[in-house]
């Protein structure tokens, strides 16, 4: 799905060719604008290219070979082997933790938000206005200002250093509820609920059999957004986790970096940090095609109504 | 609207669907805030502490470090938001205009940094700020008597973070603006063309005002993000010296973990939440005021019968 309501139907093909007329002046301007645009593209791409090229270099090569010159593939194999062996395979453990945290947070969080958003959008009940207002106010409160209070709570509940401490606080997402509320309102006609009722379906059956398939693209969007923000999460795990076997990849890599300046720890593991960083971008790279389409369309839907 | 049955079970349905969210929301949103508020009314390093009322807030209000951290993020925000949002808008408008070639490729390239986790982006740029790893900095040194610039020095720290955040989020904002632009009807542009608008005028006079809601949305997100700045300075603190009161969250973090003062840390996070909320609401109020004034202007145009 792209934007659900396009006021005047214009196909993407029309859009692509619309307004294309090539006078010489327009062609010249078009080419001139390409120069700053390409420079900007290089600004966005070159750091990533450097990261990619550097994954196969040794510490010595990192400091002494041209920064964008590719190295041999065998260097990558060596680095991968070293990464797998460092601290008893700690990195892959962190990687697995990241996958567990992100999948559970995004999966459960999306379901919870969908149920709440659907309820707020399709039912009239006494507290609807109050809950909607609460969600909107909560939207304006950044998660990070809550992180210290959440940490203090987790500490008092003696949940420190557990998987639950990282996952549970992220499941209730005001953004998710707000987004699903808008999305359900825009994509799901009330008539479908009425016809479901006439066919004798219960409210939960209507949600599962009729609503879920219709709001599917919105669910995918929300899942992706939550997955990314959970994969990128750093502040909360930093506060509530102390044993490194529970760390997500971001936290583990940061720990290695923080050891870089203390000279007692032997050769600085620059190549491993670089390879580890590049690998932790990998899931995003895999999700990227979906990401771009869904996030752009999805957030635009939510925001235009904001 | 929909629910017409009167039975108890059907009236309970919306509440049951909301229940998981509400339980978690109260448990990990409202309750932590209340708990932090309660903590903030006490003082002492261990145990339950002694009740001091609002004394901690008075301390916070007079705390130079806290206000200097707010000032730092405010300076950061003005710089970063202006650079990023102007850049993102310009790119979105350019990519929406038909004179540019290879628009899809550019869109993809600009959006790519969003796929990089913030922590990884900070690590990567942290390495790229080191002259040993980034010989390009030595080239810049030509202008500074052969000495490569020390990007991570105290005076440059703020700019180095502006760069990281801009790199990471420009493409994301551009994508949102672009999505807003693609949902505008094409017929609008034909009308503008007939009225004699050129490409540039169409962009500024027609497209920009129409994607205004998206722009406001991204500004709010960015303002909130600015106040919670933590990851980038924290990561860079492994590579260089970062003041313990650099941003509000860095200060709050250090208050809790370096000084072990949880009561004051709770006070400060409560205070910060309040300041952030005020900033976003103020921004919302200012922009909606502008819209009201614009609305009045338009009406007066109509009254005089001047076609827009």
């Amino acid at each position: 799905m792209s934007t659900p309501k396009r006021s005047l139907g214009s196909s993407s093909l029309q859009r692509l060719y619309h307004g294309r007329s090539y006078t010489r002046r327009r062609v010249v301007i078009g080419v001139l604008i390409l120069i700053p645009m390409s420079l900007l593209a290089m600004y966005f791409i070159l750091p990533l290219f450097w990261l990619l090229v550097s994954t196969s270099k040794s510490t010595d090569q990192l400091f002494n070979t041209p920064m964008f010159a590719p190295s041999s593939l065998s260097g990558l194999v060596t680095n991968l082997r070293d990464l797998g062996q460092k601290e008893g395979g700690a990195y892959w453990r962190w990687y697995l933790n990241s996958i567990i945290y992100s999948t559970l947070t995004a999966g459960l969080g999306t379901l919870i938000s969908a149920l709440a958003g659907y309820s707020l959008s399709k039912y009239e009940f006494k507290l609807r206005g109050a809950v909607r207002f609460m969600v909107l106010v909560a939207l304006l409160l950044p998660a990070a200002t809550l992180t210290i209070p959440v940490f203090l709570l987790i500490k008092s509940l003696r949940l420190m250093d557990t998987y639950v401490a990282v996952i549970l606080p992220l499941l209730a997402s005001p953004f998710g509820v707000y987004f699903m509320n808008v999305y359900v309102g825009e994509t799901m006609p009330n008539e479908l609920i009425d016809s479901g009722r006439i066919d004798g379906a219960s409210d939960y059956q209507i949600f599962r059999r009729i609503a879920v398939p219709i709001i599917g693209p919105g669910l995918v969007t929300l899942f992706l957004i939550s997955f990314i923000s959970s994969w990128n999460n750093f502040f909360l795990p930093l506060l509530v986790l102390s044993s490194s076997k529970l760390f997500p990849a971001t936290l583990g890599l940061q720990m290695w970096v923080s050891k870089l300046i203390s000279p007692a720890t032997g050769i600085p593991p620059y190549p491993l940090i670089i390879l580890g960083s590049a690998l932790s971008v990998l899931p995003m790279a895999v999700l990227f095609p979906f990401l771009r389409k869904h996030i752009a369309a999805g957030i635009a839907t939510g925001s235009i109504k904001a | 609207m929909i629910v017409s049955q009167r039975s108890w079970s059907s009236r309970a349905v919306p509440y049951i669907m909301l229940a998981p969210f509400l339980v978690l929301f109260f448990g990990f949103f409202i309750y932590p805030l209340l708990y932090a508020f309660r903590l903030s009314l006490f003082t002492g390093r261990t145990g339950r502490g002694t009740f001091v009322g609002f004394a901690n807030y008075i301390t916070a209000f007079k705390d130079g470090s806290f206000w200097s951290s707010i000032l730092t993020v405010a300076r950061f925000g003005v710089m970063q938001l202006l650079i990023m949002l102007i850049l993102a808008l310009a790119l979105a408008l350019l990519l929406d205009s038909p004179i540019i070639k290879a628009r899809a490729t550019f869109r993809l390239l600009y959006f790519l940094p969003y796929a990089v986790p913030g922590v990884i982006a900070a690590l990567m740029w942290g390495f790229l700020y080191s002259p040993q790893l980034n010989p390009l900095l030595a080239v810049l040194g030509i202008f500074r008597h052969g000495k490569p610039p020390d990007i991570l020095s105290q005076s440059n720290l703020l700019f180095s973070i502006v760069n990281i955040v801009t790199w990471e989020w420009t493409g994301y904002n551009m994508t949102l603006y672009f999505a807003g632009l693609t949902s505008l009807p094409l017929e609008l542009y034909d009308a503008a063309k007939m009225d004699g608008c050129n490409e540039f005028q169409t962009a500024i006079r027609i497209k920009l005002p129409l994607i205004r809601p998206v722009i406001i949305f991204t500004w709010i997100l960015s303002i909130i993000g600015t106040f919670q700045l933590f990851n980038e300075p924290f990561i860079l603190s492994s590579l260089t010296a970062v003041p313990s009161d650099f941003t509000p969250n860095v200060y709050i973090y250090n208050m809790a973990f370096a000084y072990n003062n949880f009561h004051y840390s709770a006070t400060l996070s409560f205070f910060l939440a309040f300041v952030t909320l005020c900033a976003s609401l103020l921004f919302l109020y200012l922009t909606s005021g502008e819209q009201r004034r614009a609305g009045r202007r338009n009406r007066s145009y109509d009254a005089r019968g001047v076609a827009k």
Side-chain angles (χ1 to χ4, degrees):
Chain A
M1 77 125 237
S2 57
T3 39
K5 273 186 213 154
R6 183 164 281 170
S7 46
L8 292 158
S10 45
S11 72
S12 56
L13 206 64
Q14 255 180 310
R15 197 161 271 285
L16 189 62
Y17 289 101
H18 188 263
R20 279 201 176 175
S21 63
Y22 294 105
T23 62
R24 187 186 287 167
R25 191 161 158 266
R26 283 166 68 94
V27 171
V28 170
I29 293 174
V31 170
L32 281 180
I33 291 176
L34 279 184
I35 297 169
M37 285 182 66
S38 308
L39 287 175
L40 267 175
M42 280 168 71
Y43 164 69
F44 288 119
I45 293 310
L46 281 183
L48 286 175
F49 184 68
W50 172 81
L51 192 71
L52 194 69
V53 165
S54 303
T55 51
S56 56
K57 289 183 180 174
S58 65
T59 307
D60 184 45
Q61 283 170 321
L62 274 174
F63 286 95
N64 295 317
T65 56
M67 65 189 292
F68 296 113
S71 179
S72 64
L73 209 60
S74 64
L76 179 63
V77 176
T78 314
N79 282 344
L80 268 173
R81 201 195 55 217
D82 291 351
L83 185 69
Q85 283 168 354
K86 186 168 165 67
E87 292 169 22
Y91 180 78
W92 292 114
R93 169 93 206 213
W94 298 334
Y95 207 83
L96 184 67
N97 287 339
S98 275
I99 292 175
I100 293 172
Y101 291 138
S102 306
T103 314
L104 281 179
T105 311
L108 290 172
T110 302
L111 180 68
I112 289 169
S113 297
L115 277 169
Y118 179 82
S119 164
L120 286 177
S121 167
K122 292 296 173 199
Y123 290 91
E124 265 176 7
F125 52 98
K126 222 181 228 161
L127 291 176
R128 175 155 93 159
V131 175
R132 274 185 174 170
F133 179 74
M134 213 169 61
V135 168
L136 276 179
V137 173
L139 260 182
L140 295 178
L141 264 187
T145 47
L146 267 169
T147 308
I148 295 266
V150 164
F151 153 76
L152 295 170
L153 177 71
I154 297 267
K155 196 161 144 341
S156 78
L157 291 175
R158 298 180 199 289
L159 281 174
M160 289 290 281
D161 218 17
T162 57
Y163 275 108
V164 178
V166 181
I167 296 169
L168 218 49
L170 297 177
L171 290 183
S173 152
F175 169 76
V177 174
Y178 167 77
F179 174 77
M180 285 319 297
N181 178 20
V182 172
Y183 195 88
V184 170
E186 283 198 356
T187 53
M188 174 138 180
N190 292 341
E191 289 75 16
L192 281 179
I193 301 180
D194 293 335
S195 68
R197 285 248 168 74
I198 292 165
D199 292 343
S202 75
D203 291 75
Y204 307 106
Q205 282 168 331
I206 291 173
F207 177 77
R208 221 181 51 207
R209 301 265 166 81
I210 304 176
V212 168
I214 290 176
I215 60 174
L219 294 175
V220 173
T221 304
L222 189 57
F223 179 87
L224 287 173
I225 294 173
S226 325
F227 189 91
I228 294 167
S229 68
S230 171
W231 188 271
N232 297 354
N233 195 8
F234 177 74
F235 200 8
L236 183 67
L238 174 73
L239 298 193
V240 299
L241 297 179
S242 50
S243 51
S244 68
K245 65 180 202 299
L246 293 180
F247 282 3
T250 46
L251 198 51
L253 288 170
Q254 193 275 330
M255 190 181 73
W256 281 354
V257 173
S258 69
K259 285 181 182 167
L260 277 180
I261 31 176
S262 54
T265 43
I267 310 162
Y270 278 107
L272 303 189
I273 294 171
I274 286 172
L275 178 60
S277 300
L279 284 171
S280 72
V281 183
L282 206 62
M284 304 300 125
V286 173
L287 293 176
F288 202 69
F290 309 96
L291 211 79
R292 210 158 63 91
K293 198 177 103 203
H294 281 286
I295 287 189
I299 296 190
T301 310
S303 68
I304 283 167
K305 291 280 148 181
Chain B
M1 178 173 72
I2 305 149
V3 176
S4 51
Q5 297 103 315
R6 288 260 171 263
S7 73
W8 179 86
S9 67
S10 81
R11 264 185 296 146
V13 166
Y15 292 104
I16 293 170
M17 285 180 162
L18 268 175
F21 170 71
L22 284 182
V23 167
L24 286 163
F25 185 74
F26 277 99
F28 291 97
F29 215 103
I30 308 275
Y31 184 70
L33 280 179
L34 294 178
Y35 182 71
F37 182 66
R38 214 187 88 89
L39 274 181
S40 73
L41 301 178
F42 290 79
T43 184
R45 297 287 149 104
T46 48
R48 302 201 60 183
T50 39
F51 183 78
V52 290
F54 286 94
N56 283 331
Y57 287 90
I58 295 167
T59 314
F61 197 75
K62 291 182 188 157
D63 187 343
S65 290
F66 183 63
W67 288 113
S68 97
S69 71
I70 297 255
L71 199 68
T72 307
V73 286
R75 269 174 56 209
F76 171 89
V78 170
M79 245 184 322
Q80 202 271 326
L81 260 70
L82 278 180
I83 296 174
M84 175 171 77
L85 296 163
I86 290 172
L87 211 57
L89 260 180
L91 288 176
L93 287 171
L94 278 174
L95 291 176
D96 191 52
S97 122
I99 46 176
I100 307 294
K101 295 249 170 68
R103 289 183 281 177
T105 316
F106 275 119
R107 239 166 43 224
L108 183 80
L109 292 182
Y110 294 150
F111 188 58
L112 214 53
Y114 177 67
V116 180
V119 172
I120 304 301
L123 280 179
M124 184 182 73
W125 277 105
F127 286 167
L128 286 172
Y129 288 155
S130 125
Q132 287 98 39
L133 282 167
N134 187 352
L136 290 179
L137 292 177
V139 178
L140 285 174
I142 293 169
F143 305 106
R144 306 174 78 255
H145 315 293
K147 219 174 66 199
D150 183 6
I151 298 183
L152 288 173
S153 74
Q154 293 285 303
S155 53
N156 289 337
L157 193 57
L158 201 62
F159 302 103
S160 67
I161 298 175
V162 166
N163 173 54
I164 298 175
V165 177
T166 306
W167 181 82
E168 174 114 39
W169 292 101
T170 302
Y172 174 80
N173 283 292
M174 181 212 71
T175 306
L176 293 190
Y177 297 150
F178 187 79
L181 287 172
T182 13
S183 64
L184 301 179
L186 286 176
E187 286 74 6
L188 212 61
Y189 304 156
D190 293 330
K193 208 172 178 182
M194 281 230 243
D195 287 347
C197 275
N198 63 29
E199 209 82 56
F200 183 72
Q201 286 168 325
T202 313
I204 301 294
R205 298 266 176 85
I206 315 260
K207 295 181 182 177
L208 216 49
L210 282 172
I211 57 164
R212 194 192 147 89
V214 192
I215 299 176
I216 291 177
F217 175 75
T218 57
W219 275 76
I220 296 266
L221 283 188
S222 300
I223 289 172
I224 292 174
T226 300
F227 274 101
Q228 60 177 322
L229 195 63
F230 176 81
N231 287 359
E232 288 80 4
F234 186 81
I235 300 285
L236 291 182
S237 72
S238 308
L239 302 167
T240 184
V242 173
S244 70
D245 57 355
F246 190 63
T247 73
N249 266 330
V250 169
Y251 185 51
I252 293 170
Y253 173 84
N254 283 320
M255 197 46 73
F257 293 92
Y259 307 118
N260 223 14
N261 190 345
F262 290 115
H263 294 289
Y264 193 51
S265 168
T267 311
L268 288 175
S269 28
F270 215 79
F271 207 160
L272 178 65
F274 180 72
V275 172
T276 311
L277 199 61
C278 287
S280 334
L281 287 177
L282 182 72
F283 179 76
L284 267 180
Y285 175 76
L286 288 178
T287 49
S288 72
E290 206 174 291
Q291 197 146 40
R292 279 197 300 274
R293 281 194 296 281
R296 276 203 294 278
R297 266 206 305 280
N298 284 348
R299 271 200 299 280
S300 70
Y301 267 119
D302 293 344
R304 275 184 279 144
V306 179
K308 270 220 109 184

